[in-house]
Amino acid sequence: MNYSRFITTVSAARKASPIRLLTELMQKSPPSLISLAGGAPNPNVFPFKRATVAIGHGSAVEIGEDLMKRALQYSASAGIPELLSWLKDFQRNLHNPPTANYSPEEGQMEVCVTTGSQEGLCKVFEMLINPGDNILLDAPTYSGTLAALRPLGCNIINVPSDQHGIIPKALKEILSTWSSEDVKNRSHHLPKFLYTIPNGCNPTGNSLTTERKKEIYQLARKYDFLIIEDDPYYFLQFEKPWAPTFLSMDVDGRVIRTDSFSKILSSGLRIGFLTGPKPLIDRVILHIQVSTMHTSTFTQIMISQLLQQWGEKGFLEHIDRVVEFYRTQRDAMLIAADKWLKDLAEWYPPAAGMFLWIKIKGVSDTQQLIMEKALQKEVLLVPGGAFNINSSEPSSYVRASFSLSSPAQMDLAFKRLADLIKEAS
């Protein structure tokens, strides 16, 4: 693939930082090397000496003095070598991407660590979007994505979706605006990419079916756009087998995938990772070099030690326990919704994620209902308008999260919401 048409002039102008390259070179050097080059502080003066982090089921992550010196020091912008290696093997084993054995120019699969998947997303958007570019997404969608996109001046084209995600027929109709001549001539008006959250979408809980993914990927090939597969809820799918990913179908090297440990290991440690074609991931790494420089070495080492201790098998067993918890939480929320909201609202049971997307009958806009009246009733949800491309557009939906509340709290919250809806109608 020719990636140059996708990259902005700013991204294309990025060059490797000489100091960052020296840092990475030093970390690969033998102990006999005497380096007077680096600007790294001496870790012997740092006050932190060692750490033991207790893990559930009686084990622990031990960070001794030597490892602690590394954990407190600068590290490579793409991620520490042992974590990167683990993640690359994991992505190959889990998704078996066709691009794994391609040459770099063909779009070989590459991985880099980011400070949460949000950093990766923002840097991908800034790499791809020039003002006036057309991009595709299925709203309602994650408000953080919309907040990152709006200032970049792109035209956001909304693709209709239902409880099974993007509707390929609707996408095809939108794309028919562009002729085969536009595609052939690589018209700059062609959409740059399609952004979607394919599993347990925030806020709708929608999950794309395998058949729809295949149809969407073929449309991406026909109209030559990239797919940004933002998948923070991939590991929170309630049924097995897990749905095949766009990455697993990517014969062209046109998928950029974001993954996150936030929902399964820790949201505060801020560890995510990007997987995609090397020519594009390399551009993101150049941006990291001059912004955050790298994700916290300490948190990377902590996660890496845990993953190496567990192995893939242990990690997936942990995922199973997490999924079981969220499945029970989802079921408790569905029971409460059925009990109190049956005649007042509509919803679909989510197949993944942490959210229930509720349409309130007889209420054209939930903004005032939630932001003013719901607080008086001591119940809080997110009004649906927050997830629209135009946030001032009315929405009859609310988003309820089942991640933190107990079943008893969910029951009481929906009783209060039901009272509120009755009073408003």
Side-chain angles (χ1 to χ4, degrees):
M1 272 184 65
N2 175 16
Y3 295 105
S4 59
R5 93 161 184 90
F6 296 103
I7 295 169
T8 65
T9 47
V10 171
S11 184
R14 295 193 189 280
K15 298 282 185 283
S17 157
I19 298 294
R20 290 271 72 212
L21 291 176
L22 270 177
T23 301
E24 290 167 31
L25 193 67
M26 279 169 58
Q27 287 167 356
K28 293 172 185 170
S29 303
S32 56
L33 176 84
I34 299 169
S35 172
L36 306 179
N42 193 311
N44 292 322
V45 302
F46 296 156
F48 310 101
K49 298 303 172 191
R50 66 181 66 82
T52 301
V53 183
I55 301 166
H57 310 290
S59 55
V61 165
E62 299 282 353
I63 301 177
E65 284 201 28
D66 287 342
L67 190 56
M68 182 60 94
K69 284 177 183 176
R70 239 192 96 205
L72 298 175
Q73 193 54 278
Y74 294 126
S75 58
S77 293
I80 61 169
E82 63 268 45
L83 181 57
L84 272 181
S85 174
W86 197 97
L87 292 172
K88 282 180 185 176
D89 287 344
F90 184 67
Q91 293 296 69
R92 283 192 196 101
N93 295 340
L94 196 61
H95 305 289
N96 190 23
T99 53
N101 299 313
Y102 286 14
S103 70
E105 301 75 31
E106 290 174 317
Q108 179 187 63
M109 184 199 89
E110 184 58 281
V111 175
C112 78
V113 177
T114 56
T115 306
S117 60
Q118 184 76 22
E119 186 203 16
L121 267 183
C122 281
K123 286 182 164 54
V124 166
F125 292 155
E126 288 174 31
M127 167 179 71
L128 299 176
I129 295 172
N130 286 308
D133 280 346
N134 290 316
I135 65 134
L136 303 156
L137 61 73
D138 52 321
T141 193
Y142 173 48
S143 54
T145 294
L146 295 171
L149 288 171
R150 285 187 193 112
L152 299 177
C154 54
N155 302 316
I156 304 173
I157 301 167
N158 191 10
V159 185
S161 58
D162 58 21
Q163 75 268 31
H164 303 300
I166 288 170
I167 302 165
K169 191 180 173 185
L171 176 59
K172 197 173 185 177
E173 204 169 300
I174 288 166
L175 291 167
S176 66
T177 310
W178 291 276
S179 67
S180 54
E181 205 62 28
D182 289 329
V183 179
K184 196 171 144 190
N185 297 331
R186 298 287 186 265
S187 163
H188 69 277
H189 296 299
L190 284 168
K192 278 269 185 87
F193 62 79
L194 167 73
Y195 167 91
T196 191
I197 304 171
N199 292 295
C201 177
N202 177 4
T204 63
N206 297 346
S207 292
L208 260 172
T209 63
T210 304
E211 281 312 306
R212 286 191 180 188
K213 281 182 186 168
K214 286 176 182 172
E215 285 183 65
I216 291 164
Y217 189 82
Q218 290 310 314
L219 288 169
R221 299 190 80 186
K222 182 177 177 181
Y223 289 92
D224 194 28
F225 57 82
L226 303 174
I227 295 173
I228 299 177
E229 182 173 36
D230 183 16
D231 215 354
Y233 306 101
Y234 176 77
F235 297 114
L236 295 187
Q237 295 180 68
F238 302 128
E239 302 302 329
K240 286 187 176 177
W242 289 342
T245 57
F246 281 114
L247 184 67
S248 72
M249 304 172 184
D250 189 21
V251 291
D252 295 336
R254 65 173 68 251
V255 174
I256 303 172
R257 177 180 170 80
T258 73
D259 281 283
S260 174
F261 286 136
S262 290
K263 313 298 182 281
I264 47 172
L265 295 181
S266 160
S267 48
L269 288 179
R270 307 307 301 136
I271 300 267
F273 50 107
L274 275 181
T275 309
K278 184 171 171 58
L280 296 180
I281 300 299
D282 284 352
R283 296 273 117 208
V284 172
I285 294 167
L286 291 178
H287 193 171
I288 292 171
Q289 285 183 0
V290 296
S291 56
T292 53
M293 285 175 59
H294 59 80
T295 296
S296 161
T297 317
F298 185 89
T299 59
Q300 287 190 72
I301 280 179
M302 196 168 140
I303 295 277
S304 179
Q305 293 288 104
L306 176 68
L307 293 175
Q308 284 173 20
Q309 192 181 116
W310 274 351
E312 279 187 23
K313 185 174 179 286
F315 175 64
L316 292 171
E317 284 168 357
H318 169 74
I319 300 293
D320 287 342
R321 291 190 291 271
V322 174
V323 168
E324 186 51 45
F325 169 81
Y326 282 106
R327 188 191 292 112
T328 305
Q329 289 288 100
R330 175 203 61 175
D331 292 347
M333 180 163 274
L334 289 171
I335 288 166
D338 211 42
K339 179 178 173 183
W340 296 109
L341 302 174
K342 195 181 249 179
D343 300 318
L344 304 171
E346 296 171 356
W347 59 88
Y348 293 105
M354 303 180 348
F355 307 110
L356 187 64
W357 187 236
I358 304 166
K359 184 180 184 180
I360 311 289
K361 292 178 182 177
V363 175
S364 59
D365 191 13
T366 55
Q367 180 70 21
Q368 190 186 10
L369 184 78
I370 297 301
M371 299 311 284
E372 294 174 22
K373 297 177 181 174
L375 280 172
Q376 294 164 11
K377 290 277 185 189
E378 297 186 302
V379 59
L380 191 59
L381 301 96
V382 185
F387 307 99
N388 286 337
I389 294 167
N390 176 0
S391 58
S392 61
E393 198 178 282
S395 170
S396 53
Y397 287 88
V398 293
R399 189 196 76 178
S401 168
F402 48 81
S403 60
L404 293 172
S405 302
S406 69
Q409 287 173 321
M410 291 180 210
D411 186 78
L412 183 55
F414 280 172
K415 180 187 182 301
R416 290 172 178 173
L417 179 62
D419 291 343
L420 189 63
I421 297 166
K422 285 171 190 169
E423 283 172 23
S425 58

